[in-house]
Amino acid sequence: MIKYHPDNAFLQSFATGDLPASLAAAASIHCEMCSSCAQTVQSYTKQAATDGFSALDSRTENAEACSYRSMSSMDAMIEQITKDEEQDMASENQSKTIQVQGKQFELPRALVNIPLGKWSSLGRLSRSRLGMNDGDIRASLLLMEADGGVPEHTHKGFELTLILEGHFKDEFDDYGPGDFLMLDSNHTHNPQTDTGCLCYTVSNDAQHFTKGFNRLVNPLGYFIY
Amino acid sequence: MHAERAIRLPKAGHPIKFNRMSDDPCKTELASWLELVGIERDKSAFTDLFRYFAPRIYHISLSKFGSETLANDVVQETMTNIWRKAHLFDSAKGQATTWVYTIMRNVSFDMLRRISANKEDNLSDDLWGHIDNAEEDSSLEPFRDHLADRELQNGIDNLPDDQKQVVESMFYQDLSQSQIAEKLGIPLGTVKSRLRLAMTKLKHHIGEKHD
């Protein structure tokens, strides 16, 4: 059972297309696993459509009827569009399976067409950077193998972790497929997994390790997220 | 007042197919235009859609992008997609405005990605496809009204698979307990105990949300 969901503001921004691609992908993946959040997104979409396409008030309508385009250029655009005889086919359900450390995973729909970077491994962690090209925001697939974990750390920016398969736990709770965790610099945690776990992660800054030896290897933060 | 009247005049040279009192068509009218475009490639229905949606799309895009050129591009690309995809619109699944909105949103998203990330991946379909088409699945379920309550559906979704199977057989397929036992090849007693467990969980789930 999914315990952690994106908040409504996040779902609303997703519905209106206002999230950066990496975060929109996180919302999309979560909704693929959570019918309740998918319905919430549908409601926000419907709401945005109703608000956006409601009657233009007369002043806007008038100003834009003048500045927008003359009727003749509108007709030209209509003419040009309707000359095209083609119809688009419904998009098919693509799927993509990946293999990491001898295990197979089916990728969520949102990631099927995103290029995956080379997997690099460190101990029981493997990471592949996703080619989202999303500015400062980095998205990755992170595999924690059974009995592995991430050293205790905090985050300078935000760190979003969405579990695709498997479970992990930290000092607060345990988490399973679909759980959506948005953490910031107020959170320090130390995820551990008994069974192995594949996550989709998004971060806008490196992790910052807080304890002992790991504090000396803070550059590791850049490796993981 | 004067200005408002001026733009509400019927447009010359365009046959009025529906008995319209104003330029503010009702929802079923928008849907029927989409259907005419989809099925009959009807250009005058498309013109009606264009005159209704294009200024609105322009308005929304202008405030989003702050650029007249981009706003025009969004209008052109969205209206083109409407022309090419109208046959995929299904009025049983949702409103015409919502359908047009999702097309506009996807066009804007992909356009921004082309500009800022230099990516031609048209990601929007992968991101929203499964949500925009989701109504199709739920409308196929018989007895949907009994289960309209989202919490209840939610509760059922979260049951362990063996209990879920029993509950769904009962709600959706309207099978008796002994029919369920036969279908699943399990003893009647097991069906009863799974149902009892499931009901306790559902009550707990719903009770929890309403407390």
Side-chain angles (χ1 to χ4, degrees):
Chain A
M1 174 168 178
I2 301 176
K3 287 187 281 191
Y4 294 89
H5 302 264
D7 64 23
N8 279 356
F10 196 89
L11 292 176
Q12 185 172 20
S13 308
F14 173 57
T16 54
D18 291 318
L19 289 179
S22 314
L23 295 177
S28 169
I29 298 167
H30 177 81
C31 287
E32 211 179 330
M33 303 164 96
C34 174
S35 60
S36 158
C37 286
Q39 280 178 31
T40 306
V41 170
Q42 281 185 339
S43 310
Y44 279 127
T45 311
K46 195 172 164 183
Q47 184 62 45
T50 308
D51 295 349
F53 292 142
S54 61
L56 296 165
D57 73 63
S58 59
R59 237 185 17 205
T60 333
E61 193 173 1
N62 188 41
E64 268 164 24
C66 297
S67 74
Y68 173 47
R69 354 182 101 235
S70 64
M71 281 305 158
S72 63
S73 75
M74 239 173 157
D75 287 341
M77 197 193 274
I78 292 169
E79 200 48 46
Q80 192 204 335
I81 291 172
T82 53
K83 258 198 320 226
D84 184 358
E85 299 285 329
E86 299 264 312
Q87 289 189 319
D88 288 350
M89 310 291 276
S91 55
E92 29 190 314
N93 274 329
Q94 296 170 292
S95 64
K96 183 171 163 188
T97 308
I98 56 164
Q99 189 138 15
V100 201
Q101 303 293 350
K103 286 209 180 72
Q104 281 211 337
F105 299 96
E106 170 140 9
L107 286 185
R109 169 90 191 265
L111 302 182
V112 163
N113 289 306
I114 302 289
L116 280 179
K118 219 176 126 230
W119 285 88
S120 43
S121 299
L122 189 79
R124 292 179 179 279
L125 281 174
S126 303
R127 185 264 287 152
S128 165
R129 197 81 88 206
L130 294 164
M132 285 276 189
N133 279 33
D134 211 4
D136 292 342
I137 306 176
R138 290 192 305 268
S140 310
L141 286 178
L142 182 70
L143 178 73
M144 290 186 248
E145 288 178 78
D147 301 318
V150 180
E152 182 172 298
H153 61 277
T154 183
H155 318 95
K156 283 189 260 175
F158 68 84
E159 172 197 288
L160 186 159
T161 305
L162 173 59
I163 302 188
L164 304 178
E165 275 190 57
H167 295 260
F168 77 78
K169 54 181 188 281
D170 63 12
E171 39 278 78
F172 307 106
D173 207 343
D174 51 76
Y175 314 93
D179 275 330
F180 182 103
L181 304 165
M182 185 66 113
L183 302 176
D184 61 24
S185 57
N186 297 320
H187 299 84
T188 297
H189 74 153
N190 175 23
Q192 299 291 326
T193 176
D194 300 333
T195 53
C197 185
L198 181 71
C199 302
Y200 172 72
T201 65
V202 185
S203 169
N204 66 344
D205 206 339
Q207 292 170 313
H208 191 72
F209 293 97
T210 49
K211 259 198 185 155
F213 172 75
N214 288 314
R215 224 173 39 194
L216 304 174
V217 290
N218 256 327
L220 213 85
Y222 289 96
F223 165 77
I224 298 168
Y225 281 83
Chain B
M1 193 62 207
H2 191 75
E4 190 184 1
R5 291 198 71 80
I7 54 147
R8 285 187 179 278
L9 287 174
K11 278 82 183 182
H14 176 60
I16 296 176
K17 306 169 59 67
F18 296 85
N19 189 15
R20 288 189 281 151
M21 295 303 289
S22 75
D23 268 356
D24 209 16
C26 64
K27 282 174 180 146
T28 51
E29 214 168 6
L30 292 173
S32 64
W33 291 340
L34 274 178
E35 276 156 9
L36 280 170
V37 171
I39 299 160
E40 300 180 23
R41 313 300 278 147
D42 185 319
K43 290 190 187 187
S44 74
F46 181 75
T47 306
D48 284 325
L49 285 169
F50 195 101
R51 292 199 195 287
Y52 181 76
F53 282 113
R56 287 166 169 79
I57 293 168
Y58 182 82
H59 177 67
I60 293 170
S61 307
L62 187 61
S63 58
K64 188 163 184 161
F65 295 116
S67 149
E68 290 181 15
T69 316
L70 278 183
N72 265 323
D73 289 351
V74 176
V75 171
Q76 170 132 21
E77 212 173 310
T78 305
M79 293 313 301
T80 303
N81 284 353
I82 290 172
W83 173 250
R84 295 173 60 98
K85 291 175 196 283
H87 63 291
L88 301 173
F89 169 71
D90 177 356
S91 60
K93 271 165 54 182
Q95 290 174 0
T97 46
T98 309
W99 189 79
V100 171
Y101 181 87
T102 59
I103 291 191
M104 174 190 72
R105 174 199 61 201
N106 291 8
V107 162
S108 310
F109 185 88
D110 290 333
M111 190 176 285
L112 253 192
R113 237 178 115 60
R114 281 202 292 275
I115 297 166
S116 64
N118 198 19
K119 282 278 182 186
E120 293 276 352
D121 50 12
N122 294 327
L123 203 54
S124 61
D125 216 34
D126 292 341
L127 292 178
W128 285 285
H130 61 90
I131 294 165
D132 296 339
N133 297 320
E135 269 158 304
E136 191 172 33
D137 298 335
S138 59
S139 66
L140 289 173
E141 309 271 29
F143 312 109
R144 186 179 170 215
D145 286 352
H146 301 305
L147 293 170
D149 189 309
R150 184 177 131 186
E151 300 298 10
L152 181 57
Q153 183 59 60
N154 223 343
I156 293 174
D157 288 342
N158 287 320
L159 289 173
D161 283 343
D162 55 351
Q163 292 169 23
K164 192 168 140 186
Q165 209 174 20
V166 171
V167 171
E168 286 182 340
S169 303
M170 196 175 80
F171 277 112
Y172 292 127
Q173 292 158 21
D174 218 15
L175 298 177
S176 72
Q177 296 191 7
S178 49
Q179 282 171 320
I180 296 172
E182 201 176 72
K183 187 185 108 179
L184 300 178
I186 49 173
L188 182 59
T190 311
V191 175
K192 286 182 195 289
S193 63
R194 281 183 192 172
L195 262 180
R196 201 166 48 238
L197 276 173
M199 288 307 157
T200 312
K201 275 189 196 145
L202 286 175
K203 268 183 211 151
H204 182 69
H205 176 82
I206 291 165
E208 230 172 31
K209 301 271 183 173
H210 289 251
D211 279 346

